[in-house]
Amino acid sequence: MSSAGGAGAAATAIYAVVSNPVAVGAKPEDADEKAHHLKNGKGFINPWDSFRDFVGWQMGMRILWRNLSGQGKKVDTKPPTVPIVTPTFREGREGGKLRATWLGHACYYVEFPSGLRVLFDPVFEDCCAPVNFKLFKRFAPPPCEIEDLPTVDLVVISHNHYDHLSYPTIKRIQQAFPEAHFFAPLGNRKWFISSGVPAGQVTELDWWDTRDVKLQVRFQDAKDIDAVSVSGSETKSSKGDIAAVVGALPCQHVSARGPFDKCKTLWASWSVESGGAKVYFAGDTGYRAVPDSTPEGDDGYGPEYAHLPHCPAFAQIGRHRGPFDLGLIPIGAYEPRWVMSSMHANPQDSVNIFVDTKCKKALGMHWGTWVLTEEDGMEPPRKLREALKEKDIEEEGVFGVVDIGESKEFESGSEK
């Protein structure tokens, strides 16, 4: 449980109060048209020419034939792969610079200067599938357990695929941090409630929706008054209120947890701002779709592909919600491109997303944990360096990677 600190800390709990109705943030003129909604509430689509839809069973048959015919590539996961270090975290509500710790795949633990603690797309289990298949088991274990985290205030989920949303992980978070508040895209709230999360601790948002969040202290004993001060109806810690703005933003992906619920719930990227620091979490996303005829190993960025459309949402995010002090951007799970380009960014896509969204710095994610696709396990960071050089982005530390369990600090707007 998150404690308020001081002599009576054990008898208090910090919980999130989320604004209702919606807090309004800047957005494109056509955002209210909801082009990503299917009629009659039947689900969602990617409303851009940059996305090429697919039929799941047809893609599955093509991949199966690829593997049976020997065309598929086997990924070597024998050590050495991604280094794993034991993470360290700040105690309690200690402030400081914006700090991000990679916990594997798409999971980051972010410590904001305000004292806010946010966990993005946590999956701590061995297998990222509804059944325990060896094919979907980790080759890089988590660097710590959920119970090792000092506190979790907000949990932000990009979509409902099993490598981003895990029932056992959510239950463990509930047990360890019962006051944690969960944010997810439209259509996912009922899953959390059916999983035992109290309805008041789940907020689902549509693209471009935002919420104001304030952390408050729930008193359980009068002696806790020495840990906090109360002004009117507002509860304040000794360092002042911990407030945040959380927003759901577009990205190019799909959703499903079974064979019959494709795109019934929404997918999203996210922004979280607190204590003068602003973070963009891209979730899981593609940027542009390349043709089926794209040769093996071709990134799809030669002159012959220049006419292909790319997703316009990222430039809109940069224009209306940027700049961001830190972007957490996927760089892996992209081969073969004829299958994955619509849904998963390769490093060149990732650099374009970084530029479009106006992130000042970025860290890569969505690689080095599970074998989801066919690129070599250590290829994404190498390709990322090449893509940055091609884009003439050569400043040290602008967009890089960290070891699993490693933390990195960043300057934020409040420090400038």
Side-chain angles (χ1 to χ4, degrees):
M1 183 186 300
S2 305
S3 65
T12 67
I14 293 178
Y15 67 104
V17 177
V18 180
S19 68
N20 190 22
V22 173
V24 178
K27 58 186 178 181
E29 291 182 359
D30 61 354
D32 291 335
E33 296 177 8
K34 307 291 185 184
H36 58 293
H37 285 231
L38 289 174
K39 293 182 179 179
N40 303 317
K42 292 185 177 181
F44 306 92
I45 59 170
N46 292 285
W48 312 291
D49 293 339
S50 56
F51 181 77
R52 184 180 66 246
D53 205 356
F54 60 90
V55 177
W57 70 266
Q58 290 178 342
M59 186 180 75
M61 291 299 294
R62 291 182 69 176
I63 293 175
L64 177 62
W65 171 248
R66 180 178 174 82
N67 291 329
L68 291 175
S69 63
Q71 300 175 57
K73 298 177 182 177
K74 301 296 182 183
V75 178
D76 184 6
T77 59
K78 296 191 297 293
T81 54
V82 187
I84 301 172
V85 300
T86 301
T88 59
F89 307 103
R90 293 173 180 152
E91 292 295 328
R93 297 292 164 183
E94 181 185 349
K97 292 183 181 293
L98 176 66
R99 190 170 187 262
T101 305
W102 187 36
L103 301 180
H105 198 52
C107 181
Y108 268 94
Y109 182 75
V110 179
E111 298 164 289
F112 284 81
S114 63
L116 181 75
R117 307 295 188 245
V118 182
L119 190 59
F120 293 92
D121 276 8
V123 178
F124 280 73
E125 274 55 60
D126 187 41
C127 186
C128 63
V131 292
N132 199 358
F133 282 135
K134 182 179 179 181
L135 178 66
F136 297 111
K137 287 193 174 184
R138 285 178 181 264
F139 64 86
C144 66
E145 298 299 337
I146 291 169
E147 296 74 15
D148 297 324
L149 302 176
T151 188
V152 175
D153 300 312
L154 308 181
V155 180
V156 176
I157 302 296
S158 64
H159 66 298
N160 70 359
H161 283 160
Y162 285 87
D163 57 323
H164 296 259
L165 178 61
S166 162
Y167 173 80
T169 289
I170 298 303
K171 298 303 291 183
R172 289 173 63 188
I173 293 171
Q174 277 190 278
Q175 182 67 31
F177 309 104
E179 307 296 335
H181 196 97
F182 296 83
F183 282 88
L186 280 185
N188 287 288
R189 188 170 185 267
K190 62 182 179 181
W191 182 92
F192 284 92
I193 294 172
S194 68
S195 299
V197 179
Q201 290 174 224
V202 186
T203 299
E204 64 175 22
L205 298 182
D206 199 355
W207 292 350
W208 301 106
D209 284 352
T210 59
R211 291 288 192 276
D212 292 325
V213 180
K214 182 193 288 187
L215 299 192
Q216 293 189 346
V217 178
R218 179 181 290 121
F219 296 106
Q220 298 179 11
D221 194 302
K223 66 184 179 181
D224 296 322
I225 298 297
D226 63 2
V228 298
S229 62
V230 182
S231 175
S233 61
E234 295 184 354
T235 303
K236 296 185 178 181
S237 71
S238 60
K239 294 184 179 180
D241 292 335
I242 296 178
V245 179
V246 179
L249 296 165
C251 65
Q252 182 171 291
H253 202 56
V254 293
S255 65
R257 286 183 76 81
F260 306 113
D261 64 342
K262 180 185 172 186
C263 298
K264 298 299 183 183
T265 63
L266 189 58
W267 47 97
S269 62
W270 292 85
S271 65
V272 179
E273 183 175 5
S274 184
K278 189 187 292 188
V279 172
Y280 175 65
F281 178 70
D284 200 353
T285 185
Y287 185 73
R288 62 208 293 268
V290 303
D292 287 1
S293 58
T294 304
E296 295 285 331
D298 191 330
D299 289 330
Y301 272 93
E304 66 273 32
Y305 305 108
H307 66 286
L308 296 177
H310 62 268
C311 182
F314 300 106
Q316 291 177 329
I317 291 168
R319 185 179 311 117
H320 294 285
R321 298 292 173 88
F324 298 93
D325 299 300
L326 173 63
L328 304 172
I329 299 176
I331 63 170
Y334 49 79
E335 288 288 353
R337 296 302 289 150
W338 59 265
V339 177
M340 296 296 169
S341 59
S342 280
M343 300 174 292
H344 287 171
N346 71 358
Q348 284 179 295
D349 295 330
S350 307
V351 172
N352 282 323
I353 291 170
F354 167 74
V355 172
D356 287 356
T357 52
K358 298 184 180 179
C359 293
K360 299 172 186 176
K361 300 290 179 69
L363 292 174
M365 63 178 188
H366 207 260
W367 73 284
T369 307
W370 284 286
V371 176
L372 301 177
T373 47
E374 294 184 5
E375 74 273 6
D376 179 74
M378 297 301 292
E379 181 181 281
R382 185 181 75 247
K383 290 279 191 179
L384 176 62
R385 290 190 295 270
E386 294 172 359
L388 289 165
K389 188 173 182 180
E390 289 176 12
K391 202 79 172 177
D392 293 325
I393 302 173
E394 299 187 49
E395 183 183 341
E396 185 76 19
V398 171
F399 186 175
V401 298
V402 290
D403 296 339
I404 295 176
E406 184 180 0
S407 303
K408 191 167 183 179
E409 294 185 343
F410 299 87
E411 288 190 351
S412 58
S414 63
E415 301 174 295
K416 298 176 183 177

